[in-house]
Amino acid sequence: MNKRTKRIIIVGSGAREHALAAGIARSPEKPEVIVAPGNPGMSADAKILSGMPTTSAESADWIASQEPDLVVIGPEKPLSDGIVDRLTDRGIAVVGPSYEAARIEGSKLFAKERMMEAGIATADFRVIKGVQQARETVREWGYPIVLKADGLAQGKGVSVILDDHDLEEALDRFFVRKELKEAQERVFLEKGLSGPEASFIVLTDGTRFIPFPAARDYKRIYDGDKGPNTGGMGALTPLGDWTENDQKDACQIIDRCLWAMRRYGAPFVGFLYAGIMRTPNGLKVLEFNARFGDPEAQVLVPAAGEGLLDLLTQATQGALSTGVSMEGRARVAVVLASEGYPENPVFGTQLEGIEKARQEPHIQIYTAGVSQKGGHLVTSGGRVLSVVGEGASSLEARNRAYQAMAQIRLERGQYRRDIGGRQE
Ligand code: AMP
Ligand code: GLY
C-alpha cells in the first residue's frame, strides 16, 4: 500500500516560519510543507495556504480540515490564544505549548513564580501598585531599574530606567497615559542587570530537550544598538564568548524550568527560549519565550540539518531522542526592513534582485513582509526579509550575508551594517 506523503502545516507568515518550512522540507521523507497564511516569497520552499480564520477555534477547525500529520506554531499570539489545546483536542500532533504552558511568555510574573520555585537566577523584583510605591522602590534600590508590564505588550512592556528623567517618563507611560492597556494590569519593578545577552533556545518534549547553539539577536533599529527596539534586525550564532560552562548553566536553567512547568501541571512542549544575560554573578534569565525567536530561527533552524522533522515529531510524542548534536557552522542573519520601521513603515515598494541574491554561495533568504503585485514582490510589512550567510567563521558568514544583501534593491528600505560585528 502506498503511504501518503506526510503533510506538515506551519502556522505564521514571517521569516521564522519560512526558515522552519525550509528546514522541514530538507527531510529525506520529502514531506508536503504548507505555511498558513505564509507569504508569496516562500513559494519555492513551501505551499502557501491563505484563508485561515483568525479566531482560535475556527482556525483549529480549518487546520484540522487540511488533515495535517504535524502542525508547528510559529508566533506567540496563536499560542496564547490556546490553539495548541484546540488542535490536540482534535487529535492533531502539534509542536507548541498548551495555553497554560504558553503563560511562561504571556505573563512575566507567572515566569518569575516558576523561576523562584525552580531556583533559576533572575533579577530581584517587586510588584508595584502605583506611582508612590515605584518611587519608594527606586529610592531603596537606586538605578538602573526596569519597569515591566506583566502581559504581552509587543515589546513595549519593558522600560529600562537609568535616571530621574527616564523614571518620570516610564511612570507617565505606565500609570498616567496607560499606554499598554490590559498588558499593564500588573506591573513590577526589577533590579537592573548588565552584561552581554544571549538567546538560548531548545526543542523539548516536556522533559528531554535538545539545545540549539546559543545565538544573539540585535533588537535596536540602528547600528551600534541605537534607536528604538524592533522585532529584531539581525542574529548571529554561535557566540564567540559563550563558554562550555555557560552551556552547562544554560542547560540547567532549561532543566529547572521544565521541572517547574511539570510541577505546575503544564508541561512545556515545543520551542522554549530563554533570554539570558551573562552578569558578573553568572547567567540570569531576563525572560522566557514560548516559541522560536525571530530572527534567531533564521540562523538556528539550519543547524538541525535533515533531521528537524524527525525531532519535531518525536517532541510531540514525548519521545525526543537526546544526544543529537546540532551542526555548529557560523550563521549571520541580516534583516532588511521597510523605511520608517518600527514606528511608521512604508509599504508597497518593489523588491528587486532576490533571485540573484539567492544564487550567491552559502546564502539563504527568508521572506516576511512581502506580497505579490503585478508579478513583482512588494513590501507589506515592517520586516521584509532576512538574508542568512553561513561560513566557517562569523566573519565569513557575515561577509557572505552582506554581499548577498548588496544584490537586493529596495528603494525605501533599511538594514544594519554591523550585524555579527562591524564591517571593516
Ligand atoms: P524582556 O522582554 O524582559 O526580555 O526585556 C527586553 C530587554 O530589556 C532585554 O533584552 C534587555 O535588554 C532589557 N532588560 C530586561 N530586563 C532587564 C534587567 N533586569 N536589567 C537590564 N536590562 C533588562
Ligand atoms: N528575537 C526576539 C524574539 O523573537 O522575541
Side-chain angles (χ1 to χ4, degrees):
M1 205 175 73
N2 257 353
K3 233 176 90 194
R4 176 170 84 85
T5 307
K6 266 197 188 161
R7 179 176 295 158
I8 319 299
I9 298 184
I10 297 150
V11 174
S13 63
R16 164 182 52 204
E17 288 74 27
H18 189 176
L20 286 165
I24 291 170
R26 289 174 69 185
S27 164
E29 284 186 64
K30 305 241 175 301
E32 179 188 14
V33 184
I34 298 172
V35 190
N39 71 65
M42 300 172 172
S43 51
D45 297 305
K47 201 166 129 188
I48 308 311
L49 206 56
S50 57
M52 185 167 68
T54 46
T55 70
S56 153
E58 286 173 6
S59 62
D61 280 337
W62 183 86
I63 292 167
S65 74
Q66 312 291 331
E67 301 185 354
D69 297 284
L70 183 75
V71 177
V72 184
I73 311 295
E76 209 283 332
K77 178 75 170 58
L79 295 171
S80 62
D81 286 346
I83 196 169
V84 170
D85 308 66
R86 294 174 192 276
L87 288 169
T88 309
D89 287 348
R90 287 161 176 77
I92 294 170
V94 47
V95 179
S98 66
Y99 173 84
E100 275 297 319
R103 290 179 67 204
I104 193 88
E105 172 166 3
S107 163
K108 289 179 190 294
L109 284 168
F110 175 92
K112 283 285 196 192
E113 283 158 20
R114 302 289 82 71
M115 287 192 257
M116 304 306 285
E117 285 167 10
I120 295 171
T122 181
D124 292 342
F125 69 102
R126 181 179 292 169
V127 175
I128 296 294
K129 295 283 178 238
V131 172
Q132 198 191 336
Q133 196 188 2
R135 289 190 204 288
E136 281 164 18
T137 304
V138 172
R139 262 197 298 279
E140 196 183 322
W141 289 354
Y143 298 117
I145 205 162
V146 186
L147 191 58
K148 295 190 176 184
D150 179 46
L152 287 176
Q154 287 164 351
K156 299 197 174 96
V158 175
S159 278
V160 179
I161 298 167
L162 302 178
D163 55 29
D164 291 350
H165 174 264
D166 291 350
L167 177 66
E168 291 315 313
E169 200 174 278
L171 292 179
D172 187 55
R173 208 159 76 79
F174 276 64
F175 292 106
V176 183
R177 283 184 277 146
K178 301 199 173 195
E179 274 179 19
L180 304 165
K181 305 201 174 69
E182 57 283 2
Q184 62 172 33
E185 271 166 23
R186 293 200 295 170
V187 169
F188 61 102
L189 273 169
E190 208 175 81
K191 284 190 182 166
L193 304 172
S194 64
E197 288 180 44
S199 307
F200 189 71
I201 297 164
V202 307
L203 173 65
T204 175
D205 64 4
T207 306
R208 284 162 290 243
F209 64 91
I210 300 176
F212 285 85
R216 179 154 298 141
D217 76 333
Y218 293 71
K219 291 194 173 74
R220 305 293 188 113
I221 185 76
Y222 301 128
D223 286 16
D225 294 328
K226 301 266 177 1
N229 266 325
T230 69
M233 293 299 291
L236 159 75
T237 190
L239 303 179
D241 55 0
W242 188 257
T243 64
E244 263 178 45
N245 234 355
D246 291 334
Q247 181 72 13
K248 208 174 90 240
D249 292 349
C251 285
Q252 189 185 61
I253 286 169
I254 297 292
D255 239 341
R256 291 181 174 190
C257 179
L258 294 176
W259 170 85
M261 294 303 285
R262 290 195 303 275
R263 180 169 181 263
Y264 183 76
F268 188 101
V269 175
F271 295 108
L272 179 61
Y273 168 148
I276 288 175
M277 193 174 260
R278 171 133 44 57
T279 77
N281 303 315
L283 300 189
K284 296 206 175 180
V285 173
L286 297 178
E287 63 167 347
F288 282 107
N289 292 322
R291 52 177 172 81
F292 226 124
D294 183 342
E296 287 92 331
Q298 291 89 302
V299 294
L300 293 178
V301 166
E306 294 183 349
L308 181 64
L309 176 56
D310 269 350
L311 296 175
L312 294 172
T313 306
Q314 290 169 11
T316 65
Q317 295 166 342
L320 190 61
S321 22
T322 49
V324 177
S325 52
M326 297 278 168
E327 172 255 277
R329 280 170 77 76
R331 289 188 178 81
V332 168
V334 183
V335 172
L336 176 63
S338 296
E339 186 186 297
Y341 177 73
E343 284 106 350
N344 292 302
V346 180
F347 299 151
T349 2
Q350 194 172 320
L351 260 168
E352 287 172 285
I354 295 188
E355 287 318 314
K356 210 164 150 210
R358 278 203 168 115
Q359 281 153 25
E360 293 276 328
H362 309 286
I363 288 296
Q364 302 295 325
I365 294 180
Y366 301 122
T367 53
V370 298
S371 48
Q372 194 102 41
K373 196 175 161 195
H376 299 288
L377 286 183
V378 297
T379 58
S380 59
R383 288 190 292 171
V384 176
L385 54 80
S386 295
V387 176
V388 181
E390 65 177 45
S393 66
S394 60
L395 178 70
E396 192 175 50
R398 162 179 111 202
N399 287 342
R400 284 175 170 156
Y402 279 105
Q403 224 166 326
M405 185 65 100
Q407 307 286 336
I408 299 176
R409 281 185 310 285
L410 175 64
E411 224 167 86
R412 309 195 67 182
Q414 53 173 335
Y415 61 89
R416 280 180 60 159
R417 317 280 159 156
D418 64 344
I419 306 299
R422 182 163 285 281
Q423 289 267 293
E424 298 310 328

